[in-house]
Amino acid sequence: MTYASQVAMTLPEIVLALGALALMLVAAWGGPSSTRAVSWTAVAVLGGACLALIGPATSGNTAFDGMYRADAFAGFSKVLIYVAAAVAILLAPRFFERTAGDDLRPEYPVLILLSAIGMGIMVSTGDLLTLYIGLELQSLAAYVLASFMRQDQRSAEAGLKYFVLGALASGILLYGISLVYGFTGSTLFEEIAGAYAAAPLSGDGKSIGLMFGLVFVFAGIAFKISAVPFHMWTPDVYEGAPTPVTAFFASAPKVAAMGLAARIAIEAMGPAEGQWRQIVIFAALASIIFGAVAAIGQSNIKRLLAYSSINNVGFALIGLAAGTPEGVAAVLTYMAIYVVMTLGSFLVVLQMRGTDGQPIETIASLSGLSRTRPGLAAALAIFMFSLAGIPPLFGFWAKFAVFDAAVRAGLFPLAVVGIAASTIGAYYYLRVVKTMYFDEPAAAFGEGDKLEGGLIAVAAIVVSPLGYLAIPLLSAWTMAAAQALF
Amino acid sequence: MIQAIAFYIFAIVVLVSGAMTIASRNPVHSVLWLILAFFNAAGLMVLVGAEFIAMLLVIVYVGAVAVLFLFVVMMLEIDFAQLRAGFVRYFGIGLVLAVALVAEILIAVGAWSAGGVDLARRGAPVDPTIPNIQAIGNLLYTRYLFVFEGAGLVLLVAMIGAIVLTHRQRQGVRPQNIAAQIARRPQDATRNMRPEIGQGVQL
């Protein structure tokens, strides 16, 4: 394989990196007045990266001796990541122009672009080194974004908490990686899989080192997808970070970390399926139940959505626990629908501003929204019903896909407990709908924005029953992507 | 013969300057002795054929780390006499640490003489006929090119992040505006006055 053809496979990352570097120069010389131009160009660069996925970048080959994989799985995940990142850039200007003291600076879209490069690397990884570089690139940009509002104490707190706990998680992951490398002798996924297949993993004389490595690696990844018991940072960071950044955290990095988890579980540690399945099942059920129960007492809508993301990650992990191509396809389907629902919910949260433009985050302020802003209330109701997985909406199909995969893999108890626990989650989603439709109206919100209103409408249509029309396309695409891992 | 002489010169200077690093009274002198030790350690590395590590020692340790030490030592106002006052008090724990360190060195030498670690599964076996800078470059710019560039991006993000979080435009400062200074003409800045006697100048 020639050098040029290997580089051609990484074209999406190259497009993003060159775009980010050029925009950084524009930002350095143009100053705050260039923010608008930089934001729109960054969205165009993300679109260009999506186009760059056509061709060698999704050809199914590997580059750099297997360290980088350019397959359909990476392609599907990258489309999701880039779209979510573009929406996060589009959300920002209106949020920051209303907050006192902190303006949007052109570094915001540049950092999102750099984070998107990291996430792209995460889902294309074929080697532990590539994995770690991608993860750090994504996380480091995310720490800065979390504390982007320097005047705001909560934002600074969110950034610091995220950084300290993220560094701890990276340490745990690196410890696992070093154990895996030490006991398998390679960082390449293929050779690690070979070593796991050759070593005895249960009974007398099993390889303790390989087991410890596996556990630590999964613990590190569980932190990144904020699965219970490594979820503690999520509500605080989501509440403190600026809302557009929270919308970003809840969407693109989740897809990337989930793709990473699937790659490691299937490609690197596929032969140890019986071992990691226990971890994944525990994390899935704990996330579903804890995410649902802890959300009940919340009064802040951003914290509520944080617990909702913990809860949803649990459902996606059920698909991974199946460990079959159908299971991985279900994970991808789930993440695709989840990203739309979550971005839609955060878009509605962004509309929650007083008439003076100050953001409001309490659930109580949504009271009687159906009478003051019927369209917005209907959209949020669609997102909430969909997140709860209530049948006519598209969110039901996501949950159906993961439970179907789990049942087909013979994991009946897991599916039964998961379905039972999903009814607990429905309670707090429905409470938001009840507040909007049956409570006395609170103070009306300020005027909305055309672009954000349009994005809300698009998201609402996608998760409405009309979304079912996309199922043949979506299942064919996710299945092709999932087959690339096996 | 020449290698032996070079080895003994480098080794003696390393040992002496290492001892002087901890013995000299002035902390700035300590750092300067440390830099000398690094230079001679680099010389030793060249002698054993590890020229890449030699260059790293000079570029990274002498060029960056030791100079940073120097700045920190010169900027912090530390009363070193007071720091040394606790010598007797901490002698016991220092001795324990020293014994542990010596024991570790002995164990490491023992393990080393027992034979190398089995690296049979090594991803990229080293070709003994090429110099090690070339060997590292061959790997870094082919197999590891992607992660190498990715690591560069990580450092770039760290730099952007530090600037985004700490740099702020100060209000009320009066910076020098060189273009305005150069563009200023005598007729704009001065006026010819012809004051009447006893009237003074009206500005």
Side-chain angles (χ1 to χ4, degrees), chain A residues 247-267:
Chain A
F248 177 65
F249 286 172
S251 52
K254 286 273 160 78
V255 178
M258 212 46 153
L260 180 69
R263 267 213 195 274
I264 268 237
I266 307 294
E267 285 194 328

Side-chain angles (χ1 to χ4, degrees), chain A residues 36-283:
Chain A
R36 198 178 153 78
V38 171
S39 293
W40 281 103
T41 319
V43 172
V45 169
L46 284 164
C50 279
L51 288 181
L53 285 169
I54 304 166
T58 46
S59 57
N61 290 323
T62 60
F64 304 110
D65 290 350
M67 294 181 78
Y68 182 94
R69 284 167 195 265
D71 53 17
F73 181 85
F76 183 85
S77 312
K78 280 181 193 175
V79 169
L80 272 186
I81 289 165
Y82 296 161
V83 169
V87 172
I89 292 174
L90 289 177
L91 296 184
R94 283 142 214 95
F95 175 81
F96 281 96
E97 78 188 21
R98 309 270 175 83
T99 51
D102 274 299
D103 293 332
L104 182 65
R105 279 159 290 149
E107 287 86 0
Y108 175 86
V110 174
L111 283 169
I112 295 226
L113 280 187
L114 287 164
S115 183
I117 300 174
M119 291 184 280
I121 297 174
M122 280 162 75
V123 295
S124 296
T125 175
D127 187 285
L128 295 173
L129 270 177
T130 325
L131 176 160
Y132 187 70
I133 291 285
L135 196 66
E136 278 308 293
L137 188 53
Q138 180 265 320
S139 312
L140 208 55
Y143 304 145
V144 180
L145 286 170
S147 45
F148 202 76
M149 290 167 72
R150 294 184 305 193
Q151 313 279 331
D152 189 75
Q153 284 201 343
R154 286 194 312 165
S155 177
E157 181 198 332
L160 195 62
K161 252 183 201 163
Y162 197 17
F163 175 68
V164 171
L165 290 172
L168 180 71
S170 290
I172 292 173
L173 183 68
L174 270 183
Y175 189 51
I177 286 176
S178 70
L179 281 172
V180 169
Y181 174 56
F183 281 88
T184 61
S186 175
T187 54
L188 271 180
F189 283 2
E190 280 167 21
E191 300 199 6
I192 292 171
Y196 270 96
L201 290 167
S202 55
D204 291 337
K206 66 182 173 218
S207 172
I208 300 285
L210 283 177
M211 293 306 305
F212 264 88
L214 182 147
V215 171
F216 275 106
V217 166
F218 272 84
I221 292 174
F223 179 93
K224 296 291 174 191
I225 55 175
S226 70
V228 176
F230 301 99
H231 64 282
M232 299 77 85
W233 56 277
T234 318
D236 291 344
V237 172
Y238 279 28
E239 186 192 354
T243 312
V245 176
T246 312
F248 177 65
F249 286 172
S251 52
K254 286 273 160 78
V255 178
M258 212 46 153
L260 180 69
R263 267 213 195 274
I264 268 237
I266 307 294
E267 285 194 328
M269 297 172 178
E273 190 183 72
Q275 276 67 39
W276 58 254
R277 182 177 273 160
Q278 308 163 18
I279 302 173
V280 172
I281 287 178
F282 171 77

Side-chain angles (χ1 to χ4, degrees), chain A residues 253-385:
Chain A
K254 286 273 160 78
V255 178
M258 212 46 153
L260 180 69
R263 267 213 195 274
I264 268 237
I266 307 294
E267 285 194 328
M269 297 172 178
E273 190 183 72
Q275 276 67 39
W276 58 254
R277 182 177 273 160
Q278 308 163 18
I279 302 173
V280 172
I281 287 178
F282 171 77
L285 290 181
S287 303
I288 292 172
I289 294 170
F290 184 82
V293 172
I296 291 173
Q298 301 305 321
S299 61
N300 181 305
I301 186 89
K302 280 162 85 180
R303 284 187 86 86
L304 183 103
L305 286 171
Y307 283 107
S308 156
S309 83
I310 296 173
N311 180 274
N312 277 289
V313 157
F315 286 112
L317 283 175
I318 288 184
L320 183 60
T324 55
E326 289 78 21
V328 176
V331 172
L332 291 176
T333 309
Y334 198 96
M335 291 321 282
I337 299 172
Y338 163 78
V339 162
V340 179
M341 296 188 293
T342 301
L343 285 176
S345 310
F346 275 104
L347 274 159
V348 175
V349 172
L350 278 171
Q351 308 306 310
M352 295 168 58
R353 300 194 192 96
T355 41
D356 59 344
Q358 285 303 312
I360 306 173
E361 292 172 5
T362 57
I363 296 173
S365 72
L366 286 167
S367 300
L369 190 67
S370 63
R371 271 158 280 177
T372 52
R373 296 277 292 276
L376 197 61
L380 187 55
I382 288 177
F383 297 135
M384 289 291 131
F385 277 125

